[in-house]
Amino acid sequence: MSFFTELKRRNVYKVGMAYAIVAWLLIQIAGSVLPTFDAPRWVLQTITFIIILGFPLSIFFAWAFELTPEGIKATTPEGPDQYHTRTTGHRLNYFIITVLALAVGFILVDNYVLVDKPHSSIASMAGPHAT
């Protein structure tokens, strides 16, 4: 079995994709919320740094452990039952789709709902008959 086939069997690709999407969404939310609280710039930088450090750890844990109905177990070289691998893969697919939908929703709200509206002038508020 090749290395890339083993990565696929252990759902490492899916875990990496899910982590990247969730990380991006968390950074976007933090970037939108932290200025509201006048947080210093280093807070967002620290959050981003911690999230980036967590990526290799998530890949390692996806490689070393398998999520089964009995709980988290160490993955053996010959692999767990293929049913558990497929079930975990399907759950990861649903998770990725859900988080992507949340990310698209966040983008839409951020770009179309929370847009600053231009302030109208006093003359336009007085109506068309004001001179």
Side-chain angles (χ1 to χ4, degrees):
M1 192 177 315
S2 76
F3 177 70
F4 295 108
T5 306
E6 188 67 14
L7 286 175
K8 184 177 179 182
R9 184 184 69 81
R10 294 182 186 212
N11 293 316
V12 174
Y13 293 129
K14 291 179 183 180
V15 169
M17 185 183 304
Y19 189 92
I21 294 168
V22 169
W24 176 83
L25 186 60
L26 289 175
I27 291 170
Q28 293 300 313
I29 290 171
S32 295
V33 171
L34 289 176
T36 304
F37 298 108
D38 293 327
R41 186 174 159 189
W42 64 265
V43 174
L44 182 59
Q45 291 172 341
T46 303
I47 291 170
T48 303
F49 183 71
I50 291 170
I51 288 173
I52 290 170
L53 283 180
F55 184 75
L57 291 174
S58 70
I59 297 300
F60 168 76
F61 286 121
W63 174 266
F65 298 101
E66 179 70 25
L67 186 62
T68 66
E70 294 84 30
I72 297 174
K73 295 186 177 187
T75 304
T76 58
E78 62 272 356
D81 181 18
Q82 287 297 335
Y83 173 75
H84 297 307
T85 302
R86 266 187 266 125
T87 303
T88 303
H90 290 302
R91 288 181 183 165
L92 282 170
N93 286 341
Y94 293 133
F95 178 76
I96 290 169
I97 290 168
T98 302
V99 174
L100 275 174
L102 288 172
V104 168
F106 175 78
I107 290 170
L108 291 175
V109 167
D110 191 40
N111 289 333
Y112 297 109
V113 176
L114 301 177
V115 175
D116 289 336
K117 300 197 174 149
H119 297 289
S120 56
S121 65
I122 303 264
S124 66
M125 291 174 61
H129 301 291
T131 54

